[in-house]
């Protein structure tokens, strides 16, 4: 019998595929997948900040927009967002506003993370919604992808 952890790995692998698409476009390789309350994929996206010349075109924001459009609702109760890297403050704000039930992420982001690293928006009871946060799913694969991207970037500019 398949357990929930297996599902988390499966969905995170899909988010990793999205992240690789971003990397191929020279975008920071972050991918996101929204799973709706019935367990179906509602949306998948990857970073497109450079491609769209849009500072808000983070994988999480694009996936949430598409999932909301599909649901015809700006709220996504019962949904789970899978993302390869810990969301930033902007993305965590959108996650909270959308009433995402659960956030599952891979690699921590000590410079921008707002789900436990730098800030912990989900634990702040001053907000009107606190999503459950599950971290470190496929952590090494997510870390490796982002670290390799920036390692190559640094070599190019030296």
């Amino acid at each position: 019998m398949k357990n929930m952890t297996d599902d988390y790995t499966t969905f995170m692998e899909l988010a990793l595929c999205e992240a690789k698409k971003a990397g191929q476009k020279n975008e920071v390789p972050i991918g996101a997948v929204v799973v709706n309350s019935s367990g179906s994929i509602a949306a998948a996206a990857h970073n497109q900040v450079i491609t769209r010349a849009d500072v808000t075109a983070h994988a999480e924001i694009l996936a949430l927009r598409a999932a909301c459009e599909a649901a015809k609702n700006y709220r996504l109760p019962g949904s789970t967002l899978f993302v390869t890297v810990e969301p930033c403050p902007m993305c965590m704000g959108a996650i909270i506003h959308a009433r995402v039930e659960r956030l599952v992420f891979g690699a921590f982001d000590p410079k921008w993370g707002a789900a436990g690293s730098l800030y912990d928006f989900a634990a702040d009871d001053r907000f009107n919604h606190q999503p459950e946060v599950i971290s470190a799913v496929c952590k090494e694969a997510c870390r490796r992808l982002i670290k390799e991207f920036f390692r190559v970037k640094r070599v190019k500019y030296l």
Side-chain angles (χ1 to χ4, degrees), residues 35 37 76-81 95 98-104 129-133:
V35 176
S37 58
L76 300 169
S79 66
T80 301
L81 173 66
I95 289 163
R99 306 299 194 276
V100 170
E101 183 175 319
R102 183 178 306 104
L103 164 67
V104 179
H129 176 69
Q130 289 79 39
E132 175 186 5
V133 175

Side-chain angles (χ1 to χ4, degrees), residues 19-135:
K20 289 173 185 168
K21 290 177 190 177
Q24 291 166 353
K25 296 176 182 177
N26 207 27
E27 298 271 4
V28 175
I30 297 175
V33 172
V34 177
V35 176
N36 64 25
S37 58
S38 65
S40 299
I41 295 172
H46 55 275
N47 271 6
Q48 295 184 54
V49 174
I50 297 165
T51 304
R52 294 183 179 207
D54 178 355
V55 70
T56 69
H58 289 197
E60 302 94 320
I61 299 294
L62 296 175
L64 289 171
R65 284 179 185 158
C68 287
E69 188 174 333
K72 297 187 179 355
N73 191 344
Y74 70 101
R75 293 199 173 144
L76 300 169
S79 66
T80 301
L81 173 66
F82 292 84
V83 62
T84 55
V85 176
E86 180 182 4
C88 72
M90 175 183 69
C91 293
M92 278 305 295
I95 289 163
I96 290 167
H97 279 293
R99 306 299 194 276
V100 170
E101 183 175 319
R102 183 178 306 104
L103 164 67
V104 179
F105 71 87
F108 286 91
D109 185 349
K111 293 183 179 179
W112 279 97
S117 288
L118 188 58
Y119 301 105
D120 196 352
F121 282 23
D124 192 331
D125 63 6
R126 294 173 296 178
F127 292 120
N128 63 352
H129 176 69
Q130 289 79 39
E132 175 186 5
V133 175
I134 298 166
S135 59

Side-chain angles (χ1 to χ4, degrees), residues 13-25:
E13 287 171 351
L14 293 172
L16 277 161
C17 287
E18 286 293 323
K20 289 173 185 168
K21 290 177 190 177
Q24 291 166 353
K25 296 176 182 177

